[in-house]
């Protein structure tokens, strides 16, 4: 563990050993995790065991592990070998039979390749893709009930762009793209140049050097067009830092649900709600 570069999730392996010493305990303090667990507990009336979930771009496995510890059958997908080494350690140490990790580009995540899931987590990954609208359609095909999207969105005008955190300055001008008869608006974001080693860019895109950030309006439109008929924005985790997250960081979390009659997989057939 000491030889690895942990950057995201401070996981507690023993009472004395954590992956990021001195950082807050991920399971106890991560506001996004707690918000997701509240939302899923509400949707499924506290009955999470037996659900099937995918965590896309799972990084160091914190969210996947948290769900697996609650009885969810979880598949975490991560492309970079440096991160996957940490996931192997998580899998080996916690030894949960319902937790699996696959090294793969999230662009390959389809129902055909992975099957279908009750819940899909797309946390901090949508804004790293160069064709996010088409990717959301892929997710919809593999999602039976709930998709959680946590993402940056592109400032829609220059005044909004001026209020953005300077670390996000690599955004281009507003552009429009067309997809299946619908026009979407966004900005291109420069991730890294051709000279960079993509394996070492732990917090960047994997198979594209520039990504397309949808505006919030276009992001929501793309989620609905993908096939989710109920889309909610979750604020309970962000109320104490609303201005920072939604204006300075231009970031939000959205629950997308299919409300038609579906059946749970894994532990037998019964409706989700």
């Amino acid at each position: 563990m000491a030889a690895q570069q942990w950057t995201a999730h401070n996981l507690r392996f023993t009472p004395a050993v954590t992956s990021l010493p001195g950082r807050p305990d991920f399971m106890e303090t991560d506001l996004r995790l707690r918000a997701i667990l509240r939302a899923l507990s509400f949707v499924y009336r506290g009955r999470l065991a037996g659900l099937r979930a995918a965590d896309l771009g799972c990084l160091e496995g914190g969210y996947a592990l948290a769900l697996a510890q609650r009885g969810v059958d979880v598949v975490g997908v991560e492309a970079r070998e440096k991160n996957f080494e940490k996931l192997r350690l998580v899998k080996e140490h916690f030894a949960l039979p319902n937790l699996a990790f696959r090294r793969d580009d999230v662009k390959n995540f389809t129902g055909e390749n992975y099957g279908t899931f009750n819940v899909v987590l797309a946390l901090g990954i949508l804004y790293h893709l160069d064709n996010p609208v088409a990717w959301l359609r892929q997710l919809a095909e593999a999602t039976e009930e709930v998709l959680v999207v946590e993402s940056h969105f592109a400032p829609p005008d220059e005044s909004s762009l001026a209020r953005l955190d300077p670390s996000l300055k690599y955004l281009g001008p507003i552009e429009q793209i067309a997809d299946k008869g619908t026009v979407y608006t966004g900005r291109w974001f420069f991730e890294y140049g051709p000279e960079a080693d993509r394996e070492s860019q732990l917090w960047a895109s994997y198979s594209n050097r520039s990504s397309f950030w949808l505006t919030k309006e276009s992001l929501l439109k793309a989620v609905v067009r993908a096939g989710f008929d109920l889309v909610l924005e979750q604020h309970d985790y962000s109320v104490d830092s609303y201005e920072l997250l939604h204006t300075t960081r231009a970031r939000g979390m959205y629950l997308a649900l299919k409300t038609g009659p579906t059946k749970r997989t894994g532990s037998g057939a019964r409706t989700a709600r």
Side-chain angles (χ1 to χ4, degrees):
M1 186 184 296
Q4 295 170 337
Q5 183 185 1
W6 290 75
T7 63
H9 304 156
N10 185 29
L11 304 180
R12 185 166 298 280
F13 286 79
T14 73
V17 177
T18 67
S19 56
L20 285 168
R23 295 272 293 272
D25 188 296
F26 175 80
M27 296 295 181
E28 298 296 328
T29 64
D30 190 83
L31 297 180
R32 289 186 302 176
L33 172 61
R34 292 163 68 180
I36 291 167
L37 292 175
R38 281 193 297 271
L40 295 181
S41 182
F42 175 78
V43 172
Y44 293 103
R45 299 180 181 177
R47 297 173 294 173
L48 301 185
L51 292 173
R52 189 163 189 251
D55 183 8
L56 307 181
C58 63
L59 204 62
E60 295 168 359
Y63 294 95
L65 176 61
L67 290 180
Q69 289 176 331
R70 289 160 174 81
V72 180
D73 294 320
V74 186
V75 176
V77 181
E78 173 59 42
R80 284 184 170 85
E81 177 60 27
K82 287 185 178 181
N83 287 331
F84 207 77
E85 290 174 359
K86 305 166 205 170
L87 297 176
R88 291 192 190 101
L89 179 60
V90 170
K91 172 64 178 175
E92 178 182 347
H93 177 81
F94 292 97
L96 295 173
N98 56 324
L99 176 63
F101 296 108
R102 288 180 58 175
R103 188 182 176 198
D104 199 1
D105 190 333
V106 296
K107 292 179 180 179
N108 298 324
F109 181 80
T110 63
E112 181 178 357
N113 292 337
Y114 283 83
T116 60
F117 297 81
N118 303 98
V119 178
V120 172
L121 304 182
L123 311 177
I125 189 67
L126 185 69
Y127 58 88
H128 286 307
L129 302 175
D130 53 355
N131 196 352
V133 177
W135 191 67
L136 285 169
R137 284 200 303 273
Q138 286 181 216
L139 300 196
E141 293 174 358
T143 306
E144 294 181 4
E145 292 150 358
V146 181
L147 169 67
V148 182
V149 177
E150 195 275 337
S151 180
H152 284 300
F153 50 84
D157 50 50
E158 295 310 302
S159 62
S160 301
L161 183 64
R163 295 195 295 271
L164 203 62
D165 188 305
S167 66
L168 304 175
K169 64 183 178 180
Y170 301 108
L171 280 168
I174 280 287
E175 294 187 26
Q176 291 186 330
I177 59 172
D179 183 278
K180 292 190 176 296
T182 301
V183 175
Y184 300 91
T185 303
R187 299 175 185 267
W188 284 99
F189 181 84
F190 176 76
E191 300 264 0
Y192 51 86
E195 73 287 348
D197 173 22
R198 71 177 183 178
E199 289 294 333
S200 64
Q201 309 296 314
L202 298 182
W203 287 72
S205 59
Y206 186 72
S207 54
N208 48 272
R209 295 189 179 95
S210 293
S211 51
F212 193 74
W213 290 23
L214 296 165
T215 63
K216 183 176 178 180
E217 178 184 0
S218 287
L219 190 161
L220 295 173
K221 185 187 298 183
V223 171
V224 172
R225 297 286 191 274
F228 298 92
D229 56 308
L230 176 60
V231 181
L232 310 171
E233 184 169 1
Q234 191 163 356
H235 292 286
D236 52 292
Y237 78 106
S238 64
V239 290
D240 292 329
S241 54
Y242 184 88
E243 185 70 18
L244 172 66
L245 281 175
H246 296 270
T247 301
T248 308
R249 301 291 295 172
R251 194 160 183 149
M253 187 156 70
Y254 313 95
L255 302 177
L257 296 92
K258 295 179 178 179
T259 62
T262 58
K263 292 183 178 181
R264 288 183 52 173
T265 59
S267 60
R270 63 188 171 99
T271 57
R273 289 162 291 281

